[in-house]
Amino acid sequence: MNLINTLTEKQILALASLTGNLEPEDEEKGTTCEALRERLLTSAEACAWDEKQVALALYLECSPEELTEARHDYYGMTVYELGSQEYAVGTDEEADSAWDQELDNYIEECIEPELEKIDIGNLSAYVTFDRESWIRDAKMDGRGHALSRYDGDEVELGGDFYAFRMN
């Protein structure tokens, strides 16, 4: 698992502790960070953790096993649940794609129906909706504004992964 290979010593210790891979005698034995890394890699394979799950677990300070994958995705990003909390997690590319889809969906479901209701009489030939300008302006607020329905924040998890809280 590439993500585990890129973790800092502090992150390795945190993940080892959260997953029960840090044993009390490790400090006495002088277990190295690399030994813990190997132990985590073995656990990741045995437990079928994916990199997104590990990255989110480190952010939430929980074991990857506490995160369950939801039965749905969010515009192609994987959704994980921790209790009642839901997080969409994706790579930079997946988040960009989800962002574009969310903005297109907003236009189709919220803006276009309202435009159809407007009666402007003879001016209708002069009034247009500039979709590209609207999308450009909406993107000024950042991806979190469109994708994180809970607080509008985008969380950089590291390893090219980003999370968006859904609720």
Side-chain angles (χ1 to χ4, degrees), residues 99 103 130-141:
W99 193 17
L103 294 177
D130 187 344
R131 184 183 192 100
E132 295 308 311
S133 291
W134 185 90
I135 289 173
R136 183 192 66 238
D137 291 347
K139 285 189 170 189
M140 298 298 278
D141 292 328

Side-chain angles (χ1 to χ4, degrees), residues 8 16 18 22 36 58 69 81 90 95 100-101 151 155-156 164:
T8 66
L18 291 167
L22 187 62
L36 290 174
L58 278 169
E69 189 171 336
E81 298 171 342
D100 290 338
Q101 292 176 61
D151 56 9
V155 179
E156 187 173 351
F164 306 88

Side-chain angles (χ1 to χ4, degrees), residues 3-162:
L3 179 65
I4 290 177
N5 287 323
T6 65
L7 297 177
T8 66
E9 185 173 335
K10 183 177 177 182
Q11 291 171 316
I12 289 290
L13 288 170
L15 186 59
S17 177
L18 291 167
T19 59
N21 282 295
L22 187 62
E23 298 167 8
E25 61 272 3
D26 281 337
E27 192 173 332
E28 295 168 12
K29 290 181 184 176
T31 303
T32 66
C33 183
E34 288 310 309
L36 290 174
R37 186 182 313 272
E38 288 304 316
R39 200 180 293 166
L40 286 169
L41 286 167
T42 301
S43 291
E45 288 177 21
C47 299
W49 302 335
D50 66 35
E51 290 184 320
K52 293 175 184 178
Q53 188 177 16
V54 171
L56 183 60
L58 278 169
Y59 170 72
L60 296 174
E61 297 181 354
C62 68
S63 169
E65 294 162 344
E66 294 177 69
L67 297 170
T68 57
E69 189 171 336
R71 292 189 203 129
H72 61 91
D73 69 4
Y74 186 59
Y75 297 114
M77 292 193 297
T78 307
V79 176
Y80 293 100
E81 298 171 342
L82 177 66
S84 63
Q85 301 173 21
E86 288 186 335
Y87 290 85
V89 180
T91 63
D92 196 34
E93 185 177 302
E94 290 169 337
D96 279 344
S97 176
W99 193 17
D100 290 338
Q101 292 176 61
E102 171 63 26
L103 294 177
D104 286 339
N105 185 53
Y106 184 84
I107 290 171
E108 291 166 11
E109 291 187 7
C110 299
I111 296 175
E112 288 175 349
E114 293 302 313
L115 291 174
E116 292 170 7
K117 293 179 188 177
I118 298 173
D119 179 19
I120 51 176
N122 296 336
L123 297 175
S124 63
Y126 302 103
V127 177
T128 61
F129 173 67
D130 187 344
R131 184 183 192 100
E132 295 308 311
S133 291
W134 185 90
I135 289 173
R136 183 192 66 238
D137 291 347
K139 285 189 170 189
M140 298 298 278
D141 292 328
R143 293 188 299 206
H145 185 75
L147 296 176
S148 181
R149 295 182 175 170
Y150 178 75
D151 56 9
D153 289 339
E154 174 177 346
V155 179
E156 187 173 351
L157 299 175
D160 191 39
F161 296 117
Y162 299 85

